[in-house]
Amino acid sequence: MVAVESLAAAPAVRAAAVDLSRVREGVLECAEPVALHHGAELSGLRIGWRLVGPREAPGVVVLGGISAHRRGFAIDGLDDSTAGWWPRMVGPGEAIDAARLRILSFDYLGGSGDTDGPRDGGAFPAVSTRDQAELLRRLLDHLGIRTLHAIVGASYGGMVALAFGERHPERVSRLMVISAADRAHPMATAWRSLQRRLVRFGIESGQPARGLELARALAMATYRSPEEFAARFTAEPREQGGRFVFPVEDYLMARGEDYARRYRPDAFLVLSESIDLHAVDASRIAVPVTAVGIREDQLVPRCDMQTMCARLPRAQLHELSSLYGHDTFLKGPADLGNLVAQTLEVNT
């Protein structure tokens, strides 16, 4: 079944007040070597994680894009107000309610968090979404969580959710996959390939942060919709240094500079490539899947989600409309939140 809706933006949020006795956080150290999907092996693997919510509540894993980390929302007394990457969707009283659910997140393998990744320009192996799923399986075993109520994954996190559902269907009752498909679209791979070239050029030129700035600026042009840019950037260009600078150019470069202050170029390379290496067999995912596609999403076209859902044995597709395009899940519109809450509804 396909539902088409129009989304409205939600208000800004602040750090949440949470009973700190309901927060567990740590770094799991894996004693045995971990074999990766593409052939490498990691020894002494460390996995950064956070678990929030009542001990007996249904367990929900929350996973976001390649820039996401284990802190989905900021907690008063533990984090500063900018720490959460999904505050409009996760937290006390939100759609993924930390007062009624036990919420687990982790830092991605190969990323910029406390889980192992490239450091100081050193080599790091290729990472698969199946590897992220294996890290999640190890975390669940470590925490004594036998079965999850759901995994909610958006963008790259949706790919990881699908990989987990393919490999460990007995460990989760439902998947919610937002703006993600069973494989990357070639046009999206084309854009990301150019982004990685920019980062590598920056590294080779001794300007890694500058390369990441440009790559992120290009990425932002694919995350949002042409309709949003047409409505938003109508002002005239300004003259500076003998050339014209356009309002949309200012916006893209500001976002790139902000991103480069917070993330490592080599981690971007690993996880960007992981998106394009992603491929699962949708026909083997027997877990019920609630899929959400955004009609204006340039990176995950609606036809890809429709085709995936046709192959999934038990899937329901909701098609929503939003000027935010692929970034819709981050903006936290109320209608998307309502759909997430309905999907996760339990009697607690």
Side-chain angles (χ1 to χ4, degrees), residues 250-324:
D250 278 332
Y251 166 77
L252 293 176
M253 293 313 304
R255 300 286 70 73
E257 291 165 7
D258 178 64
Y259 187 85
R261 284 192 290 268
R262 295 180 288 124
Y263 295 96
R264 291 193 293 269
D266 44 7
F268 175 87
L269 290 174
V270 170
L271 292 181
S272 172
E273 180 184 67
S274 184
I275 295 175
D276 292 321
L277 291 171
H278 168 73
V280 297
D281 184 349
S283 67
R284 296 181 55 196
I285 301 174
V287 179
V289 178
T290 299
V292 183
I294 308 301
R295 295 166 66 189
E296 294 80 4
D297 191 337
Q298 300 185 85
L299 291 177
V300 187
R302 59 192 298 195
C303 60
D304 279 13
M305 297 206 68
Q306 291 167 348
T307 301
M308 176 186 71
C309 287
R311 291 197 297 264
L312 288 165
R314 304 167 67 187
Q316 182 181 51
L317 174 62
H318 296 261
E319 289 185 7
L320 310 179
S321 183
S322 167
L323 293 180
Y324 296 121

Side-chain angles (χ1 to χ4, degrees), residues 33-271:
V34 177
L36 302 185
H37 178 73
H38 293 292
E41 185 176 86
L42 292 176
S43 298
L45 177 64
R46 293 161 52 87
I47 309 169
W49 58 274
R50 174 179 277 188
L51 183 64
V52 182
R55 183 173 294 275
E56 303 304 321
V60 174
V61 170
V62 175
L63 304 170
I66 64 171
S67 304
H69 44 76
R70 67 182 184 266
R71 298 179 177 95
F73 67 103
I75 298 175
D76 282 341
L78 289 181
D79 308 314
D80 64 49
S81 61
T82 63
W85 65 266
W86 212 9
R88 294 181 176 89
M89 197 66 68
V90 187
E94 302 295 343
I96 306 175
D97 190 352
R100 301 177 64 246
L101 299 168
R102 201 177 188 204
I103 301 166
L104 173 64
S105 295
F106 67 97
D107 295 336
Y108 287 133
L109 178 66
S112 292
D114 287 336
T115 299
D116 285 357
R119 300 292 185 268
D120 301 322
F124 199 80
V127 171
S128 167
T129 52
R130 290 186 171 95
D131 298 325
Q132 310 290 5
E134 171 61 16
L135 264 62
L136 175 55
R137 195 274 304 169
R138 288 172 179 257
L139 277 177
L140 295 178
D141 289 350
H142 171 69
L143 296 169
I145 301 173
R146 178 58 196 167
T147 305
L148 291 164
H149 175 58
I151 301 175
V152 181
S155 189
Y156 183 65
M159 295 177 169
V160 175
L162 290 166
F164 189 90
E166 180 188 46
R167 297 187 63 147
H168 305 292
E170 76 286 355
R171 304 295 297 267
V172 60
S173 298
R174 172 170 293 279
L175 305 178
M176 186 165 196
V177 176
I178 304 169
S179 294
D182 49 343
R183 62 199 64 242
H185 191 283
M187 181 57 78
T189 298
W191 287 324
R192 282 187 292 266
S193 296
L194 291 176
Q195 293 163 31
R196 293 193 292 272
R197 290 278 183 137
L198 286 169
V199 173
R200 291 191 180 101
F201 181 77
I203 292 172
E204 293 163 0
S205 303
Q207 301 181 78
R210 182 60 174 165
L212 185 57
E213 289 173 13
L214 293 171
R216 181 65 173 185
L218 174 57
M220 287 302 303
T222 70
Y223 295 156
R224 301 297 181 86
S225 72
E227 294 84 359
E228 185 203 9
F229 277 23
R232 183 173 177 182
F233 299 108
T234 59
E236 293 296 319
R238 57 183 171 82
E239 191 171 1
Q240 177 181 310
R243 71 178 183 90
F244 286 100
V245 179
F246 296 84
V248 68
E249 180 182 357
D250 278 332
Y251 166 77
L252 293 176
M253 293 313 304
R255 300 286 70 73
E257 291 165 7
D258 178 64
Y259 187 85
R261 284 192 290 268
R262 295 180 288 124
Y263 295 96
R264 291 193 293 269
D266 44 7
F268 175 87
L269 290 174
V270 170
L271 292 181

